[in-house]
Amino acid sequence: MMTVVVVEDEPIVRMGLVALMETEAEGFKIVGEAEDGQMALALAKLHVPDIIITDIRMPVMDGIALMSALKQEGISSSVIVVSGYGEFEYAQQALRAGAADYLLKPINEEHLLPTLHALREKILLEKARIVHDNKEQLWSFKTSAKQLARDLWDLRELEIEKELNSLQHELMNNKLTTYDMERKLTGYIALLEDEFRSVSGQELPFPRGLDKITHHFDTFIAHIYAAMKTIRGTRNWGYGKVIQAGIAYVEKHFGDPELTLTKIAQQLEVKPANFSHMFKTELGVPFSQYLIRLRMDKAAKQLSDSANKVYEVSAAVGFSDYVHFSKMFKRHMGYTPTEYRQSKWKL
């Protein structure tokens, strides 16, 4: 998804251009509208859009001055200038100043869409150029960015950790200079942001201008985990839902003698330490105590409602050692399994 800011001082023209893009320009998202260059500059600082479509002649700050201000601010958005038939000399001046392309008024679908699509390809190729020295590395980075974007949106913690470890291994193995490390991370972030837009339809919640502060891989990792926290809030995937899923898994598999906190965390794709902390925070008891209590309750029900032998009940609730089960049952229930059954059957 390419982000776009539209700058036009004539409201009717601006509204028409925005409407045209929203209905016909698939893969492009309007993130801001402005009526002059000064407003556009503020929007560019806020959104750092991929593309800015701007009229040339406007009050306060015209399109040429806007392009100059963008350069001074270090904002590398691609600019498409819009001019009337009598203003072509301004369009030429804008192209010399670095505009990516120009459009003549009135703007229609026939001219707008090919211009946008050609610029999109140019932007993506530039991003790719930044991050690779050969086709194999480009493919590796694109594949990694796509997978990491999906895992971030789905909050798959273990997969995110694996992807980051793999990326770090690839970068560190090449013994890059600080400059090359920053260059490749800058490009990787660009690919990741683009893939995240495609997956989620939203902007990746990274600080603007992250490419300028990514001096160390650790900084990049810190921003990834901060982004996960933001995404969790955006999707309303509170820790409660993770624990609910964990409880549902325990309810279904409590009879598995190999059931552990680590095994459940792996199923939920979260770190065991995080799951342990979340579990105790949500329920007020450690996971191990919860599992024992659940198994004892399930065993008590079976002892009351069935004629299964005690060793069969023991196995059914996840204890392969009958003697250990009996000791745990008495500790929690105050009776041995046999005593408990007799007391219930007397009622």
Side-chain angles (χ1 to χ4, degrees), residues 166-203:
S166 176
L167 176 63
Q168 185 176 27
H169 179 75
E170 182 171 351
L171 292 172
M172 298 304 182
N173 255 13
N174 292 328
K175 298 180 180 178
L176 301 172
T177 64
T178 300
Y179 170 77
D180 284 336
M181 172 71 80
E182 291 178 3
R183 181 175 66 89
K184 290 183 181 296
L185 273 177
T186 297
Y188 185 87
I189 291 166
L191 290 176
L192 179 61
E193 288 177 330
D194 193 57
E195 293 293 346
F196 190 81
R197 289 188 200 110
S198 298
V199 169
S200 67
Q202 300 183 20
E203 292 298 309

Side-chain angles (χ1 to χ4, degrees), residues 76-325:
S76 58
S77 303
S78 297
V79 178
I80 299 174
V81 295
V82 179
S83 66
Y85 282 105
E87 303 168 342
F88 185 64
E89 67 277 9
Y90 291 103
Q92 288 180 313
Q93 185 180 347
L95 290 172
R96 287 195 295 270
D101 212 332
Y102 73 94
L103 292 167
L104 292 176
K105 295 180 181 179
I107 300 172
N108 56 39
E109 177 185 345
E110 181 181 352
H111 294 109
L112 174 64
L113 296 187
T115 300
L116 286 174
H117 290 149
L119 184 53
R120 183 179 191 276
E121 289 304 310
K122 182 179 178 182
I123 291 170
L124 291 177
L125 283 172
E126 176 60 20
K127 289 179 179 180
R129 184 193 66 77
I130 292 173
V131 301
H132 79 287
D133 298 317
N134 54 60
K135 290 182 179 180
E136 290 75 16
Q137 189 177 70
L138 169 60
W139 178 254
S140 173
F141 271 55
K142 287 186 72 174
T143 302
S144 171
K146 179 176 289 189
Q147 187 61 53
L148 182 55
R150 289 173 178 167
D151 292 337
L152 278 169
W153 184 238
D154 291 334
L155 294 170
R156 301 173 61 181
E157 292 187 25
L158 294 180
E159 294 304 315
I160 290 169
E161 187 174 15
K162 288 178 185 176
E163 206 61 55
L164 291 175
N165 287 339
S166 176
L167 176 63
Q168 185 176 27
H169 179 75
E170 182 171 351
L171 292 172
M172 298 304 182
N173 255 13
N174 292 328
K175 298 180 180 178
L176 301 172
T177 64
T178 300
Y179 170 77
D180 284 336
M181 172 71 80
E182 291 178 3
R183 181 175 66 89
K184 290 183 181 296
L185 273 177
T186 297
Y188 185 87
I189 291 166
L191 290 176
L192 179 61
E193 288 177 330
D194 193 57
E195 293 293 346
F196 190 81
R197 289 188 200 110
S198 298
V199 169
S200 67
Q202 300 183 20
E203 292 298 309
L204 180 65
F206 267 11
R208 290 299 170 183
L210 178 60
D211 57 307
K212 297 176 183 177
I213 61 172
T214 311
H215 299 298
H216 301 286
F217 193 81
D218 289 346
T219 307
F220 172 66
I221 291 178
H223 285 297
I224 286 287
Y225 283 103
M228 288 171 60
K229 185 176 180 180
T230 302
I231 294 165
R232 189 182 299 281
T234 299
R235 303 200 72 180
N236 195 27
W237 281 12
Y239 286 143
K241 290 195 174 183
V242 175
I243 299 308
Q244 288 172 19
I247 290 173
Y249 188 89
V250 173
E251 283 285 344
K252 187 175 181 181
H253 300 279
F254 66 87
D256 178 5
E258 302 298 324
L259 184 64
T260 62
L261 181 145
T262 299
K263 186 173 185 178
I264 297 170
Q266 288 173 343
Q267 289 293 323
L268 300 177
E269 297 181 332
V270 297
K271 292 181 180 179
N274 288 354
F275 181 71
S276 177
H277 174 73
M278 288 186 284
F279 198 96
K280 187 171 182 180
T281 299
E282 289 288 327
L283 300 184
V285 295
F287 171 78
S288 58
Q289 288 185 21
Y290 178 88
L291 179 59
I292 288 292
R293 170 53 64 180
L294 176 67
R295 284 172 163 169
M296 295 301 101
D297 289 343
K298 296 291 186 182
K301 183 170 177 57
Q302 287 196 36
L303 290 168
S304 298
D305 298 347
S306 76
N308 292 342
K309 298 184 184 308
V310 173
Y311 71 84
E312 291 175 333
V313 173
S314 170
V317 298
F319 285 85
S320 54
D321 185 337
Y322 160 73
V323 175
H324 180 58
F325 165 71

